[in-house]
Amino acid sequence: WMEPKGPTARDASQVDGGPSSVYACTLPNHRLLAEQLHELMALAQAGQQPLGLLLLGLDAAAVSVRRFLAASQHRMISAMQRLLGESDILVRLDDLDYAVLLAGACATEAQLIAASLLAVLQTYGAASAGTAVYPDDGADAAALIDCAGRRRASVRARAV
């Protein structure tokens, strides 16, 4: 198991856009992610602070089943959590996809964190990420999710 190098190891070709109370939870779909994001956006707006959203994950076609057993997934999630701050939230969307909510993160910070998280994911296979920041990239949860999703899709398309 190799630890990622940290936020200074940024690879711009793989990121587009930009032990604490961090927790991982499973949400059945993007609708519930949007609800959580909406709540955090209200807090960010009240405090006049940005809020970053990362959508990232492994590309299913590139993941070897033998390399990605449940124990590996637990190590991967733990490694990602160590890279996040106390107020950041790691959300497991499904077996290969994650969202990260970054309180107070500007676009540059979101991109650096995304690059660090990608370093973790890439030890298991091809991975991609897209970032969006409130309020710059959207005024509501749906717009942020769409923006980050489009940026991630753009990265995937360039990798093919």
Side-chain angles (χ1 to χ4, degrees):
W1 176 252
M2 294 174 52
E3 289 296 322
K5 296 271 190 237
T8 57
R10 179 164 186 255
D11 183 351
S13 67
Q14 296 169 340
V15 179
D16 199 343
S20 63
S21 61
V22 176
Y23 65 91
C25 62
T26 302
L27 296 178
N29 58 39
H30 280 71
R31 182 184 58 78
L32 293 176
L33 172 61
E35 290 173 6
Q36 175 116 22
L37 186 55
H38 180 74
E39 290 175 21
L40 290 174
M41 287 172 70
L43 293 173
Q45 186 177 24
Q48 298 182 342
Q49 298 222 348
L51 174 68
L53 169 67
L54 311 177
L55 294 179
L56 64 155
L58 291 163
D59 298 329
V63 176
S64 167
V65 174
R66 272 188 250 130
R67 289 179 60 195
F68 197 71
L69 300 172
S72 296
Q73 188 174 41
H74 177 72
R75 284 194 305 268
M76 183 181 70
I77 290 170
S78 294
M80 288 193 298
Q81 286 177 322
R82 285 193 296 273
L83 294 172
L84 299 174
E86 286 183 22
S87 58
D88 300 334
I89 300 171
L90 173 63
V91 180
R92 181 178 164 205
L93 298 173
D94 61 34
D95 285 341
L96 301 177
D97 294 304
Y98 300 86
V100 180
L101 305 173
L102 303 166
C106 67
T108 301
E109 293 167 322
Q111 290 172 348
L112 289 172
I113 293 167
S116 296
L117 294 171
L118 276 175
V120 171
L121 292 177
Q122 288 171 337
T123 62
Y124 297 94
S128 57
T131 65
V133 175
Y134 168 81
D136 299 341
D137 295 318
D140 60 34
L144 286 181
I145 291 170
D146 182 60
C147 181
R150 281 185 285 109
R151 288 177 174 164
R152 182 175 177 207
S154 172
V155 169
R156 286 173 143 172
R158 288 193 310 251
V160 173

